[in-house]
Amino acid sequence: MVDNNDHIHLGRLQDFYATHKSLPPYAKIADICDMRSKAGVSKLVFRLKRDGFLQVAPGGRLAPTSRFFGRPLVGSAPAGFPSPAAELLDDALSIDDYLVEHPSDTVLVEVQGDSMIGAGIQPGDYVIVRKCQRAEPGQIVVAIMDGEFTIKYLDRDEKGYLLRPANAHYSLLRPEQELSIFGIVTGQFRKYS
Amino acid sequence: MVDNNDHIHLGRLQDFYATHKSLPPYAKIADICDMRSKAGVSKLVFRLKRDGFLQVAPGGRLAPTSRFFGRPLVGSAPAGFPSPAAELLDDALSIDDYLVEHPSDTVLVEVQGDSMIGAGIQPGDYVIVRKCQRAEPGQIVVAIMDGEFTIKYLDRDEKGYLLRPANAHYSLLRPEQELSIFGIVTGQFRKYS
DNA sequence: AGCTTAGGTGAACGTTCGTTCACCGTAAAG
DNA sequence: CTTTACGGTGAACGAACGTTCACCTAAGCT
């Protein structure tokens, strides 16, 4: 463990980033961390980079790493007591980052109907959809039928593609002529009031 | 509505930010957006600021606004064709903000087991848990039994509280003595590989 | 046609950036 | 009691920053 004040400085930076979604220039960091010289900041930044909290993004700007975000992820620890120490699992900074890999061509669609209830997709849920025309059998897709969105498994048999609901009360859909795919379902989320 | 290419440029910036958690300097933005001059970027940034996608953080750095993160929300529009124009209309929301109302006492728990499959909560999903000791019957809670997390409906009958799975293969759990509630499930999300 | 609007270009310019250097004070190690 | 290591200081400096300007081109309008 560290015996210096870097974790305090880091905390200040985390607060700033949480508020402004951006890291300030060195002069402002000095301000935030009660330092009086940019040279001190330069050394601080060196340490935080070395320790894996900061990195340099393309273009040269300072950027946070995944380690910069203290994110409470509690594992379903099978044994023992759920300790806060076991929280830090890596790789996702926020739910947004985890669910949306390509923001520019990703949209949300609200689920209507219970045709996918067997796949854990309920009415009122939102699905995260990456817009694209091509999809693989087995994927859950948003297709356009009769001008409406419909969410189904994409399947194919010897006669061609078909849309399969995850609900025994619905039947297979075989597109009349051409199947119009709006996008691929890459995620799903739901909120309990 | 816009008739220019700014939403494409914005998309590039969103992708960059999603990857690097930081906005690049103008020269790099020009690079990203296939522009050849910083002057063009300057005008682009002016427009994106005017339209509420960007702002200037303390220190003078460019920073995203909440609108920058808003994901286009495509309704299950019953009529008409889903036009890209309809997407950009203001129904944008940030998944984080939507799902997590109280960040300071909210944690994520990975779901293990299929005891809540009937409620659309599958193994591998994440549930958003607001830590608190009190819960109401009917809510989905994370309880601690034998040192392990367990996700169940909280119910109560004339004999007291009990934990009810959403899976016919599991049976009701009546806590031996005291029921230890870790938190209330306020949301759920899942990612498809 | 002629005019206007709007996005983009390329160069110039003053400002600000982050680095570097010698130096200071404290605290642990020899 | 030195010595060393380390975080921070203050000034100086070249490089990079974002703005500004005149100009270009294409599209829309009358």
Side-chain angles (χ1 to χ4, degrees):
Chain A
M1 201 48 219
V2 286
D3 57 347
N4 59 17
N5 288 333
D6 280 4
H7 64 285
I8 297 179
H9 297 145
L10 178 60
R12 304 273 184 93
L13 284 177
Q14 286 167 331
D15 284 347
F16 186 96
Y17 189 90
T19 306
H20 300 105
K21 302 277 180 272
S22 153
L23 290 172
Y26 283 29
K28 187 72 186 175
I29 296 181
D31 194 6
I32 290 174
C33 295
D34 295 321
M35 288 189 185
R36 228 148 300 190
S37 69
K38 291 186 293 176
V41 175
S42 183
K43 296 185 181 181
L44 169 65
V45 168
F46 174 84
R47 274 172 266 140
L48 292 179
K49 279 196 223 168
R50 181 199 59 195
D51 298 343
F53 292 104
L54 295 176
Q55 63 187 134
V56 174
R61 285 268 210 266
L62 219 50
T65 63
S66 59
R67 192 156 181 210
F68 182 87
F69 302 88
R71 183 194 59 278
L73 177 58
V74 178
S76 257
F81 203 75
S83 76
E87 293 177 7
L88 292 168
L89 220 82
D90 264 337
D91 210 42
L93 318 169
S94 71
I95 301 174
D96 262 304
D97 294 326
Y98 176 69
L99 290 178
V100 182
E101 289 181 18
H102 304 272
S104 61
D105 56 3
T106 298
V107 298
L108 305 180
V109 176
E110 186 177 0
V111 177
Q112 298 186 347
D114 57 358
S115 70
M116 288 301 281
I117 202 117
I121 298 177
Q122 304 178 338
D125 291 6
Y126 288 92
V127 287
I128 294 140
V129 180
R130 180 160 192 206
K131 290 193 281 186
C132 64
Q133 274 66 245
R134 308 219 138 273
E136 301 292 324
Q139 290 182 321
I140 299 175
V141 299
V142 176
I144 300 171
M145 295 199 67
D146 304 325
E148 288 191 32
F149 285 152
T150 182
I151 305 172
K152 298 284 183 296
Y153 280 111
L154 179 68
D155 263 353
R156 106 173 284 175
D157 62 6
E158 64 279 359
K159 294 183 196 164
Y161 288 103
L162 40 82
L163 297 173
R164 178 168 53 86
N167 185 333
H169 297 110
Y170 292 74
S171 53
L172 284 172
L173 293 174
R174 188 175 297 280
E176 292 296 323
Q177 28 201 15
E178 191 169 355
L179 180 58
S180 178
I181 300 287
F182 176 76
I184 300 170
V185 173
T186 61
Q188 172 270 157
F189 63 90
R190 173 195 311 147
K191 183 180 184 177
Y192 296 102
S193 57
Chain B
M1 205 46 226
V2 287
D3 57 346
N4 60 18
N5 288 333
D6 280 4
H7 63 284
I8 297 179
H9 296 145
L10 178 61
R12 304 274 185 91
L13 285 177
Q14 287 167 330
D15 284 346
F16 186 96
Y17 189 91
T19 306
H20 300 105
K21 298 285 169 288
S22 153
L23 290 173
Y26 282 29
K28 186 72 185 174
I29 296 181
D31 194 6
I32 290 173
C33 294
D34 294 322
M35 287 188 186
R36 228 148 298 199
S37 69
K38 290 186 293 177
V41 175
S42 184
K43 297 185 180 180
L44 169 65
V45 167
F46 174 84
R47 274 172 267 139
L48 292 178
K49 280 195 220 167
R50 182 199 59 197
D51 298 342
F53 292 104
L54 294 177
Q55 60 186 340
V56 174
R61 286 269 211 262
L62 219 50
T65 63
S66 59
R67 189 157 184 205
F68 182 90
F69 299 101
R71 232 153 283 310
L73 178 60
V74 179
S76 265
F81 202 76
S83 75
E87 299 173 9
L88 298 166
L89 240 66
D90 285 329
D91 265 312
L93 61 89
S94 151
I95 300 175
D96 267 303
D97 293 341
Y98 176 71
L99 289 177
V100 182
E101 289 181 19
H102 305 274
S104 58
D105 55 4
T106 297
V107 299
L108 305 180
V109 176
E110 186 176 2
V111 177
Q112 297 186 345
D114 56 359
S115 70
M116 288 301 281
I117 202 115
I121 298 177
Q122 304 178 338
D125 291 6
Y126 289 91
V127 288
I128 295 143
V129 181
R130 180 164 188 205
K131 290 194 275 188
C132 65
Q133 274 66 244
R134 307 219 137 274
E136 301 293 322
Q139 290 181 319
I140 299 175
V141 299
V142 176
I144 300 171
M145 295 199 65
D146 304 324
E148 288 190 33
F149 285 153
T150 181
I151 304 172
K152 298 284 184 297
Y153 280 112
L154 179 67
D155 263 353
R156 101 173 287 173
D157 61 8
E158 63 279 358
K159 293 184 196 165
Y161 288 103
L162 41 82
L163 298 174
R164 178 168 54 85
N167 186 332
H169 297 111
Y170 292 75
S171 53
L172 284 171
L173 292 174
R174 187 174 297 279
E176 293 294 323
Q177 28 200 14
E178 192 168 352
L179 179 58
S180 178
I181 300 287
F182 177 75
I184 300 170
V185 173
T186 62
Q188 170 270 157
F189 62 90
R190 172 193 313 148
K191 183 179 185 178
Y192 296 102
S193 59

